[in-house]
Each structure stands twice: as C-alpha cells, then as structure tokens.
Amino acid sequence: MRIPGMEEEGLVSVSREHLVFAYYVTGHGFGHATRVVEVVRHLVGAGHDVHVVTGAPEFVFTTEIQSPNLHIRKVLLDCGAVQADALTVDRLASLEKYHQTAVVPRASILATEVEWLNSIKADLVVSDVVPVACRAAADAGIRSVCVTNFSWDFIYSEYVMAAGYHHRSVVWQIAEDYSHCEFLLRLPGYCPMPAFRDVIDVPLVVRRLHKSRAEVRKELGISEDVKVLIFNFGGQPAGWILKQEWLPDGWLCLVCGASENQELPPNFVKLAKDVYTPDVIAASDCMLGKIGYGTVSEALAYKLPFVFVRRDYFNEEPFLRNMLENYQGGVEMIRRDLLTGHWKPYLERALTLKPSYDGQINGGEIVARILQDTAVGKKHASDKLSGVRRLRDAIVLGYQLQRVAGRDVGVPDWYSLSEKEIGLRAKTPTADTTESPFLSESCVEDFEVLEGDTQGLSDTVAFLKSLSGLAASGDPQSPEKRQLRERSAASALFNWEDEIYVARAPGRLDVMGGIADYSGSLVLQMPIREACHVAVQRNHPSRHKLWKHAQARHLNKGHDPIPVLQIVSFGSELSNRAPTFDMDILDLMEGEKPISYEKANKYFSQDPSQKWAAYVAGTILVLMTELGVRFTDSISILVSSAVPEGKGVSSSASVEVATMSAIAAAHGLNIEPRKLALLCQKVENHIVGAPCGVMDQMTSACGEANKLLAMVCQPAEVKELVTIPTHIRFWGLDSGIRHSVGGTDYGSVRVGTYMGRKIIKSQASTMVSESTTNLNNIVQADSFNSDEYEGHAIELLKSEASLEYLCNLKPHRYEGVYAKDLPESTTGEEFLKKYGNHNDKVTTVDPKRLYSVKAPTRHPIYENFRVEAFKSLLTAAKTDEQLSALGELMYQCHYSYSACGLGSDGTDRLVNLVQEMQHRKSSHDGTSSLFGAKITGGGSGGSVCVIGRNCIRSNEEILEIQQRYKAATGYLPILFEGSSPGAGKFGYLKIQRKPSASN
C-alpha cells in the first residue's frame, strides 16, 4: 500500500548549476528545525550544498539526511521565546535574552555573517525565521527568502506591550531586518506579517512517513486493539509526574522528550530522544500536547485527533488553533485537568472527531523548488495585492495586540474572528443589534421579567435577546450547525426553565482624580454607556448540568454530587483566553474556613489562559471570607462585557461588580452598593493581584447616568453625585495603547508614592522630637510666620507624622516643609535600609529597582487640590472662562501623570490634538468648543478624557481628532460618549423562560 506523505525522491529536478544555500533556523524549539529538514532534504536531493545555521541538535538533521552536501554550523543568532516551563513563556526574559543575544552584539554578528556568507559563496540565504539573517544577506549582496508561519516582530510586540515597553526598539529593528527579505513563503496557519514586501503561499511543510502504522506498532510491540496516545510537549521536557490511573483502560501513552531519569508507570512508554516522531504520530490514535506548527501540521496531515493545552503568551497559537479546529482536529484540555490527570473525557471526545484536512502536504518539495528557482536568478512575480495584503496584515496585527472586539476588517483565513462572527457579545446602546439572526425582536418575549426593570437600556434588551438565542440554540432542532465553542458552552450552561438573575455594571471614565485615589484624593468619575452583563443561576448539585470533564472529575473522586462553579465568558477568542472555567466550590475551602487570598491568587495563576476567572470566581471567595456566606448550591455564570479591555475604562471593575451583584441577587444577599464596591476591590487587590484603588468599583456600583460620582477615597466616602451641567460634555478617546493596572509602571509609581509618604512622616516625627527643645527651629524650617505656628505647630506636625493619606497634606505644607528633602528617586534597597517598609498592603518594594519618589508624591497632593477646584468650577457661571479653567486643570493633571512616568506617546498625541483644535478655533473666531484633556485611570496608555461644550461643533472636532490620529498612527480611536446607571441604580433582573418558549 502507498503511505500518505511518502513521496518519491527527486521531485525537485536536479539543477544544471550547483547551488549553495545558507539556511538560518531560529533558536525557538524543534518545530522550525524539523520543517527545515523537509525542505533541505529536497535541496540536497537535487545536488545542492546546504549550510544550516542552527542551535538545534545535529541529530534532528542527520537522522533524516545523510549526505556530504549537508553542513551544520552550530551558531545561535536569536533566542525565540524563553520558556519558564513547557507551557509558559517568560515575556520579559524573552525580550532581555533577545537583547543580549542579538542586539548587543549586532555589529559583530553582521560582520561575521557577511564574511561567512561570502566565504561559502552562498547563492541564496533562507531564513526560518532569524531576523538578522535577512540584513546580513543584504549587506553581503545576496538575495534572501523567509519561510515561516509567523515572524518575531509579531510575537515580541505583545511582550513589549505587556512586560517590557523599554524594549520596543527591538520590534522595529526586527521588522526592518525582515524588510530586506525579497519575499516570504507563507505557511498555513499564519499570523499577520506586514514587514514582508511580497508573499507566496505554500502548502503545509511536514516530514514524510518512513513506516506504516502497522510497522511502527509491530516494532513497539503494540497490538492494534490498544489505543495509543502520543504525549508531545516539544523539545523541552515537561518533567511532570505521570500516573497510571490517568489513562483509560486499554490505553498506552508514548512519551516524547522525557528526561533520562524520569520514572514512568507501566502504561507509559518513554520514547528515544531521536525517535522519528511523524511515524509515531501516524501510528497513534490521539495526541496530547501544546500547539506549535510542528504538532499541528503533522496532526492535520496524518489526520490525528489532537488534545491540546494552551501555551501562555505565544501569539502564534490562536491562528494555529483556529486552523486545527476548523478542520475538526482539536479538543482543548484545561491545564488543571492536564496536571491532575483528568484526561479520560478529553481522550474519549477526541476519538469521536473526524479530522478533515484535505490540503496539500508537499510544502517541502514546493518550497525547495521555489528556492532553487530563486537562487538561479528567477524573479518571482510580485504579488499584485502586496500593498493591500501588508495593510491588511498591519491592521490585523494592531487588532490582535489590542484585543478589542468590533473591528470589521477583511482578514485572511484563520485570522481572529470579527464581531460579526462572534455575534453574541452584547452590543453597546448605540450599536445596531439587528445583525445577528438569533437576536430577533420575538426572542425577547421568550423570557418573563419576574423582578426588576430594563430601564430602557438597549444593551440590556440585547443581552436578554442573546439569552433567548442561546436557549433556542440549545435545542437539537436548532438550524445553527457550527457554533463557537463559547456559544455552545453557554447554550448548555443553564436550566432554561429555571430562574436566572441578571446584573449590569458599567465601565467608567476618569474625569479627575485618577491614580490619586489610593492616596485618599477626591475623585470625579463618570459611569460610561458601555457595560458588563452577568447572568447567574443556582441549582442543587444533583440538578446541575455538568460539563463532561467535570463529570469525570467527580466520578474519579467517587462522592455524591457537590457544588460546582461553571463560567462562560463571551469574546474569549478575541483575547486568546479559554472561553470556559469550572471548579468545585469546595476548592475554595480549607476545612471549615475559606482558603486565604494568597492561596487563591496562586490557584488562579496556575493557567494564565484561565486567569481571567479570578475576576469572576474571586467574588465568591470574598463573599465567603468577608461576609461568612457558604454556597451549598452549584452556580452557573455567563459573562458578556461590552467594556473593552486595556482601554483605561475599568473593564475589570465592571466584571467584578456585575458578577457580585448577580450572585448576591441569586442568593438573597442585600449588599449596599458602597460595601459591594469595597468587596470587589478586595477581589482585584488580593485575588487578581492588581494594586488598584477603589474608585473604579465605586463608580461601577454607585454611579448614576449623566452625573459625576464625587468620592473621597478614605477609603470610599461618596460626597455627592454632581450633575453634569447641560452646556458641558465629556468624551473618552482610546489611544490604542494597552493599559493595565497590573503593569510595572503603575505599580512602581504607587510604590514611589508610598515611599514619599513614609519619608514625610519620618521627617515630621523627627521635627516633633526636636520641637520639645527648640520650637523656633521648626518655625525657621517651615519658613512661615511665627504667629501661624504659635500653639498649632506641634499639633500640625504630629498629625503629619501619623499621616494616613497623602492627600490630607496641603500643597503649601508640602512645598514649604517637605519637598526640599524628598529625593527625586531611590533604590528599593536604600529605602528599605533607612525606613524599613513603605506600609502598602498591595505592593512590595523590589530592592534592586530604582523608584521615582518626588513626582509620584507630589502628584496626589496637587491632584486633590485640582479636583476640589474642578468640582467647585462645575457649578460656577456658564462662561468661556469657566470652561477654560476646567480644561486647564485637566491639562495640569495630564502633565503631572507624565512627570510620574505614566504617560504614553498615544495619549500625549491625543491631548496635543485637543490643544491644537482648541487654539486653532480660538484664533479663528475667538471661541472654542474643546477646552481640555487628560490621560485617565492608571495611565501608561489607555484613554484620554476630553471636556468641551455640548454642541454639534464639538462633536465634529472630536471626529476630526479621531481621523487625524488615525492618519498619524493607523489606529482609529474608540470613542466613549454617553453615560448609564451604575449597578446599584440598575438593581437586578429575575427572569424565567416562558413555558410556551420551551415547547
């Protein structure tokens, strides 16, 4: 019989010319090296010399190719992604290692490579996908071609945004290097790669088979009736302890990459390090591993069901995963079940798959032929749509990195799903909700509202319609055949005939106050129109509809039904997170008490693709810990948020507040909004681990439409709800730069602020001690009139020595007494040695880090004053002077953020555009419509808040700013306008499907 993939030798015709190829292989994993083997095999078979530049072991190449024409040069010119373990990439370490490997010695690398390429008389340089190889080829005057499904500028871009912004020049350099490549041979499952000028698409490059399934099984002594699982987590040994009971009866597991001293149970077999994996894959019934090009391509080529576990922080994965699932070849296993051995339901599900990939798998031959033609001088026709393709790739690149729903862009196959394909995400009130076929008007009638009121909110009506659509799609007669996994999971989440509780919580626009919240400032916050909806249902464990892997987990434990938490999150594919999460509620208990917040943080951090669940499940632990609530029923939760992530508008707070509100309603808990907000802050601070203040949760819980929540954050005292004057309007404009309160900049500024407070308190204590002997010294040091100090100086200093909130220190006291002695910056080690600690419960001081102190300390002291002035001005006479003064206070706030190190190029550009618009209009006819702008929330990207006159012209100017920003950056800012009620004002909905709807 003819074995698929065993093509005959010599399909690349022997060239009349003897050619020399220099083939560079990236240092990341074995997948690149193994596909290079298949291309090199054809080139060597055609009589050419191939010099492979690699850091991979020689056996990867020499096992398949024994020829004097193959030359291995062991040199590592890049490092790929540094892996903390088999499933986790260390983003910052990856950037730093690349910097040391390829940036610091760049000049030397280029000189060495140019000399070497000339010495071997290379006819063509091929790269998979080492950036500097393309530049070295250009310097040597040699043509170059890349062969890949992703490029390192795309992979590293997310790392820069999330972990190492100071390395951003690395991304530009890599893209510039790739631009010297003549064209890209693009493999299926590709990512956006706008750096390449031209593209030729080629089939899958997979290694051929040497032996048949029967031959391999015979050699391994495995009978045909045994189910074989290949355990394949790449070239890095996982080091996990594998147990016999993890496999179903009648199964055998073949383990790739096991360490020499790893002991395996009898139903696990250790494969040799140099085993020829394609043959083993073809002889297996299923594969369990992580997604990479090598595993996915060979699973598709040989139609092997693939049970995969997500890898953290590797942008290649979503594209390969989409390709795998499109051809019905993949089943996702959550990491917790991988590590605890709950494999059975996933393996059984995999055996029901019918992998359907029908594309060509002779990419190695085709790539080799193109490389040979190029080396002899053939000019491949330029892609006529090259400009379109590069623009499209650039758009999708930005789309992917920002993780924002709603971009209706034309993208190639396997690119991220657009909003239209998602369909289920609740639209904002301004969105057209008639596009999705299952959101018809009649669907809303499927549910009866037993308690509560939609309050005319169109996004809430849209959410209820989406629930109706889900209930209908759960029907086996539903016409929807191919559903998104999140929709499929959601349709089976609830018992549709039972009561469901729905809560709604908006995001917020930080008008004034921002990061001064944790220093006790007055803040002014506006709840925005975009909101998160959460639906909750509780059921007795015996009636709860369990997912199959949860069923298997309980069967293995052999106990009666116990309470389970199951969560589905809409929009998961847009942010590469797992769409579902489940756990036994008892996992949140330790004996009779709830587990600690520290243990919960570690629990949810085990699998970053599911870390999002901490925002949701964390609310349950906080209710257990703080209020003594015990949950004896199972809980199903559906989360659908229209508040975009990473835009500085409190997406996380809206999820927390909506979730806790819905859970409280379902369990009859009456928690007033302020207390609920403080509880949600504990979720974010202690379980998620983000050091935010409380204003986000307070606004989401206590805000009202078209009013500014005026709150003193000591810790959370709502002073009043300030009605926005009818002649004033606020807008939010997103810069496109991702913001995170868990980021290093936000955290280090907070640490610097608390350092400054500790230094001020220390100085005040010292002066109190000195005052007992010489009051005159204090008066002199203070440089104030002695009359002011008589009888009050010591008491004032004593209050400052016990200062709880920096914002209680007046600006004149700061400038007159303390500013001159505050350091601009200090190292953590110096501070800890002198002051002991900074007394902040949610951050820690890194001894090796240099912290800015003076600017972060000054900011909240002056910000509190600015916010108080802003609030007073809002009720002043309606004049241009009023608007100008309000705008000026916002500008001052913005530049104070920058002084702290929390600015960004994008937000600065938007503020500058507002200023240009303001001054241009003012000089033109003496009036302005826009008056000020500032960065919001935690800074370092995100959105800006703009203040202007409530008129048509101001809207036109906002639109012009959007267009000018897009012209300069390629990114069209998301516009936030309008307001909506907070969770407390909304309350909750208690709904139940009408009997007629289920018949």
Side-chain angles (χ1 to χ4, degrees), residues 90-157:
D90 187 325
R91 293 173 288 181
L92 184 56
S94 298
L95 293 170
E96 290 175 344
K97 186 171 182 181
Y98 186 86
H99 182 78
Q100 293 300 319
T101 304
V103 177
V104 173
R106 180 177 172 83
S108 172
I109 289 173
L110 284 171
T112 300
E113 295 311 301
V114 169
E115 181 180 357
W116 177 74
L117 288 171
N118 287 326
S119 72
I120 65 169
K121 296 182 172 55
D123 296 292
L124 185 69
V125 171
V126 189
S127 179
D128 183 356
V129 62
V130 181
V132 75
C134 304
R135 176 57 188 268
D139 289 354
I142 304 169
R143 299 166 75 187
S144 64
V145 174
C146 283
V147 184
T148 188
N149 64 301
F150 75 86
S151 56
W152 287 112
D153 52 342
F154 176 71
I155 302 298
Y156 286 161
S157 290

Side-chain angles (χ1 to χ4, degrees), residues 193-267:
M193 293 178 278
F196 295 99
R197 289 177 286 169
D198 283 311
V199 165
I200 299 173
D201 284 306
V202 295
L204 284 175
V205 174
V206 293
R207 292 176 289 177
R208 61 177 179 164
L209 297 181
H210 290 163
K211 301 170 183 175
S212 69
R213 173 186 174 94
E215 288 172 331
V216 174
R217 284 189 169 235
K218 184 177 180 181
E219 286 184 6
L220 294 173
I222 303 171
S223 62
E224 191 59 39
D225 63 335
V226 174
K227 296 297 181 186
V228 175
L229 171 70
I230 178 169
F231 187 82
N232 187 2
F233 281 86
Q236 179 168 328
W240 298 314
I241 297 175
L242 304 172
K243 299 181 180 180
Q244 182 173 351
E245 61 268 23
W246 291 6
L247 288 178
D249 292 339
W251 282 71
L252 184 71
C253 182
L254 306 177
V255 182
C256 299
S259 59
E260 293 180 3
N261 57 356
Q262 184 174 0
E263 295 184 4
L264 297 178
N267 52 350

Side-chain angles (χ1 to χ4, degrees), residues 823-834:
E824 292 290 339
S825 60
T826 185
T827 65
E829 184 177 20
E830 291 170 346
F831 176 84
L832 292 171
K833 186 176 181 181
K834 189 171 182 179

Side-chain angles (χ1 to χ4, degrees), residues 810-919:
K810 298 297 183 184
H812 74 274
R813 291 289 295 169
Y814 167 77
E815 294 292 351
V817 183
Y818 302 107
K820 60 182 179 296
D821 294 321
L822 274 179
E824 292 290 339
S825 60
T826 185
T827 65
E829 184 177 20
E830 291 170 346
F831 176 84
L832 292 171
K833 186 176 181 181
K834 189 171 182 179
Y835 297 101
N837 61 69
H838 69 323
N839 300 124
D840 180 20
K841 295 179 180 179
V842 297
T843 59
T844 56
V845 176
D846 182 352
K848 297 180 181 179
R849 183 159 190 163
L850 181 68
Y851 293 96
S852 175
V853 175
K854 196 163 193 175
T857 303
R858 185 179 191 274
H859 174 80
I861 295 170
Y862 277 87
E863 181 69 359
N864 186 56
F865 177 79
R866 285 189 290 263
V867 182
E868 289 176 343
F870 193 96
K871 178 176 171 291
S872 298
L873 278 167
L874 281 174
T875 57
K878 301 177 182 179
T879 63
D880 283 355
E881 288 74 17
Q882 176 210 28
L883 286 164
S884 295
L886 290 168
E888 179 61 29
L889 290 169
M890 294 180 75
Y891 287 139
Q892 289 180 19
C893 171
H894 177 79
Y895 292 116
S896 185
Y897 262 75
S898 296
C900 293
L902 292 176
S904 73
D905 294 342
T907 50
D908 284 347
R909 183 184 293 276
L910 284 169
V911 170
N912 289 338
L913 285 170
V914 171
Q915 290 179 357
E916 288 178 26
M917 196 71 65
Q918 177 186 0
H919 298 313

Side-chain angles (χ1 to χ4, degrees), residues 548-571:
K548 287 185 178 179
H549 62 269
Q551 291 176 6
R553 185 169 69 238
H554 287 190
L555 285 173
N556 287 341
K557 292 180 179 179
H559 48 52
D560 294 332
I562 60 173
V564 172
L565 170 66
Q566 293 186 157
I567 308 170
V568 175
S569 171
F570 281 170

